[in-house]
């Protein structure tokens, strides 16, 4: 009954360091996405994927890379961390087709601080 | 490029009162309007959703009202309870068909005992 699992929950990076935020889902969902949440700005889409091998940019993709080698995993890579990337990051997954009752399932989030 | 404008930013309601959160959207191609609820330290979770061919949808104490001509939709929480204290996001899809969602900026609701 895991749903969407994100690791780590907390991370502190120094400016210029790189790291990968992990996201895994066990619901066999085709669609996965990454959002960042900042005070007063809501949730902003970073990257998304409609299936293994297919990714695309969202609203705020600069400084982030993604890949989707399997249906289950969708890691987010920070190439060279900057203080502006201090945020809470959420991974979400859902079935590819949308109906009124389709739900996007979110992970618990990763709180990242870049110093 | 905020395509969904949400207000108010924060809201304090007394227990038993009605909480009202509003959203305005721009893209007339939007065809699905969900509300998500987020408790501190948790990810957002779907609360209730509506399609634009319906003017109102009610689930328990939660009601979505939709005004297609004004391009607005709102969440009403009747008989608000302290357990409803959370951040609420309206959202809408960016594409037809699948779950690429754009979110409002969020409303932090505090229900006082």
């Amino acid at each position: 009954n895991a749903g969407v699992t994100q690791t780590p929950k907390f991370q502190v990076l120094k400016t210029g360091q790189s790291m990968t935020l992990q996201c895994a889902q066990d619901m066999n969902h085709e669609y996965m996405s990454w959002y960042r949440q900042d005070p007063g700005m809501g949730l902003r889409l970073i990257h998304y994927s409609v299936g293994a091998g297919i990714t695309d940019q969202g609203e705020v993709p600069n400084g982030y890379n993604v890949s989707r080698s399997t249906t289950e995993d969708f890691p987010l890579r920070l190439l060279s961390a900057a203080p502006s990337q201090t945020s809470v990051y959420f991974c979400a997954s859902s079935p590819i087709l949308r109906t009124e009752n389709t739900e996007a399932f979110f992970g618990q989030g990763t709180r990242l601080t870049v110093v | 490029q905020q395509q969904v404008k949400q207000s108010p930013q924060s809201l304090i309601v007394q227990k038993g009162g009605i909480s009202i959160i509003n959203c305005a959207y721009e893209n007339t191609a939007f065809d699905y309007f969900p509300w998500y609820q987020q408790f501190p330290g948790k990810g957002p979770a779907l609360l209730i959703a509506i399609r634009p061919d319906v003017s109102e949808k009610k689930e328990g104490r939660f009601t979505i009202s939709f005004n297609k001509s004004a391009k607005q939709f709102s969440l009403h929480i009747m008989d608000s309870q302290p357990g409803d204290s959370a951040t609420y996001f309206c959202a809408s899809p960016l594409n037809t068909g699948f779950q690429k969602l754009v979110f409002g900026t969020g409303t932090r609701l505090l229900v006082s005992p």
Side-chain angles (χ1 to χ4, degrees), chain A residues 9-115:
Chain A
K9 287 187 169 49
F10 301 94
Q11 183 71 48
V12 178
L13 285 180
K14 293 182 178 179
T15 298
Q17 286 185 319
S18 63
M19 79 159 294
T20 299
L21 279 63
Q22 301 292 343
C23 176
Q25 52 97 2
D26 62 359
M27 296 171 283
N28 202 32
H29 287 162
E30 304 93 339
Y31 183 80
M32 296 186 73
S33 55
W34 276 100
Y35 288 86
R36 59 177 290 172
Q37 182 175 14
D38 302 291
M41 304 192 75
L43 294 152
R44 292 182 292 169
L45 183 64
I46 304 172
H47 285 286
Y48 66 96
S49 169
V50 298
I54 306 170
T55 64
D56 205 348
Q57 297 181 351
E59 183 185 359
V60 288
N62 291 342
Y64 307 96
N65 272 358
V66 292
S67 60
R68 184 95 179 269
S69 57
T70 67
T71 300
E72 294 78 20
D73 299 301
F74 191 43
L76 178 72
R77 280 182 287 277
L78 280 70
L79 308 174
S80 177
S84 61
Q85 294 178 303
T86 294
S87 186
V88 181
Y89 292 85
F90 288 99
C91 177
S93 77
S94 66
I96 188 66
L97 293 178
R98 188 180 67 243
T99 68
E100 181 180 342
N101 298 315
T102 303
E103 177 175 355
F105 292 87
F106 284 80
Q108 299 264 36
T110 296
R111 184 174 294 273
L112 175 68
T113 302
V114 182
V115 298

Side-chain angles (χ1 to χ4, degrees), chain B residues 13-19 61 77-82 84 111:
Chain B
V13 173
Q14 286 195 335
K15 179 181 176 181
I18 302 174
S19 305
R61 296 183 294 106
I77 306 174
M78 313 300 288
D79 186 26
S80 298
Q81 299 297 312
D84 297 330
V111 181

